Amino acid sequence: MILEMFGPSGAGKTTMAAALATHLQDLGYAVTPFIGVRANPLKRAVLKCLASARFRTAAGPMADVDSVLRILPPRDRHWFVRMHWHLALLHREWCAAQSSNTITIFDQGWIQAVTSLVLLSGETDRQRVMRALDSVSRPDLLIRFEAPRALLEARLRNRRQNIGAFQRLLEINLQDSLDHVSHVDLVSDLVSAAGLPMIRVSSVDAEGFKLALDKITDAVLASMPAPRPDANRVIEGHLAALPR
């Protein structure tokens, strides 16, 4: 089963993905989390470049990566290259998840990637965005995060204050991150109309976080058989961060 967290920057996707992985593991399920990190941005970029080139050489053309970038190409060459690197890695990890017997959690998967490409390309035509969504793999369950704009702004300001100057240069600016909420709404409407299983959660405070965790857990348990006694583990996973 593949779960994807989806929503605007600062809504709590990464925090929930980590907590959910631990919670499901405590319930006896084998879990593979792929959670974005922000440490060592230059080193991460170099490793992503080398790894994506290796995966492409080994696996041949990756139709989903090439197709979605043709439909929603980032206007900035720098972002085009970064997204290509990231999507090549996402393709590899998603293929592994599809053949796995574990619960795999992505805090940024293909739906979030399309949403990022809407921002970076400036393309908001619904038919074109729907074509992009049709070109990529979809999760078994999409968890849609919602939060007030004021809270998102406060969290994003705090995040930018706690990263280095070089890393800030690699991030999307605050205003674009806030404007990105409308792109999330657009993609959310499209995937909902297409019938993709999706639940909506909000984790604006500790109580809301607990309610959201319970809601997601209930949805997972309804779709999964009881865990085997030997499955009580978290399988190591990692995926470098997309623009948020």
Side-chain angles (χ1 to χ4, degrees):
M1 183 178 191
I2 299 178
L3 310 179
E4 179 182 342
M5 309 293 161
F6 166 63
S9 299
K13 302 184 295 297
T14 299
T15 302
M16 179 61 73
L20 180 63
T22 299
H23 184 54
L24 292 174
Q25 183 264 339
D26 289 342
L27 294 177
Y29 288 94
V31 183
T32 305
F34 289 100
I35 299 173
V37 296
R38 294 178 177 275
N40 302 313
L42 182 58
K43 178 181 178 181
R44 189 178 71 227
V46 172
L47 291 175
K48 286 169 69 176
C49 175
L50 295 175
S52 63
R54 185 173 72 252
F55 298 148
R56 175 172 287 276
T57 300
M62 294 175 287
D64 46 2
V65 175
D66 297 331
S67 179
V68 74
L69 285 173
R70 280 197 302 269
I71 297 169
L72 297 174
R75 291 170 293 187
D76 183 273
R77 180 64 183 174
H78 157 258
W79 276 110
F80 185 96
V81 172
R82 285 185 63 185
M83 289 300 295
H84 191 281
W85 293 348
H86 179 84
L87 295 181
L89 291 175
L90 178 58
H91 169 86
R92 181 239 190 183
E93 304 299 353
W94 200 277
C95 288
Q98 288 175 322
S99 61
S100 171
N101 292 323
T102 71
I103 298 172
T104 307
I105 303 172
F106 289 87
D107 74 332
Q108 301 175 72
W110 283 111
I111 306 301
Q112 191 72 31
V114 169
T115 310
S116 295
L117 288 171
V118 171
L119 169 65
L120 296 170
S121 68
E123 179 60 70
T124 58
D125 178 77
R126 294 177 70 89
Q127 291 186 344
R128 195 172 186 89
V129 176
M130 193 65 232
R131 281 177 53 211
L133 289 167
D134 286 339
S135 73
V136 301
S137 299
R138 300 183 183 186
D140 297 303
L141 179 63
L142 187 67
I143 296 96
R144 164 72 156 98
F145 283 74
E146 300 173 324
R149 185 181 178 92
L151 177 63
L152 295 175
E153 182 171 359
R155 288 178 175 177
L156 290 171
R157 287 188 183 280
N158 182 66
R159 177 187 294 175
R160 291 184 68 84
Q161 290 172 357
N162 287 283
I163 61 177
F166 176 73
Q167 192 167 350
R168 279 196 290 271
L169 293 175
L170 300 178
E171 296 281 332
I172 293 175
N173 64 55
L174 177 61
Q175 187 58 54
D176 283 346
S177 293
L178 292 172
D179 292 343
H180 192 37
V181 174
S182 63
H183 304 141
V184 172
D185 291 338
L186 168 62
V187 172
S188 179
D189 289 346
L190 291 174
V191 296
S192 179
L196 177 66
M198 179 172 65
I199 58 176
R200 295 174 180 268
V201 300
S202 176
S203 59
V204 299
D205 53 28
E207 181 180 0
F209 186 90
K210 177 62 167 58
L211 291 172
L213 182 61
D214 290 344
K215 185 175 183 179
I216 299 168
T217 301
D218 288 344
V220 172
L221 297 184
S223 302
M224 294 290 294
R228 300 189 309 274
D230 63 345
N232 187 20
R233 65 192 186 280
V234 172
I235 298 174
E236 183 178 359
H238 168 72
L239 183 65
L242 238 76
R244 308 182 184 195

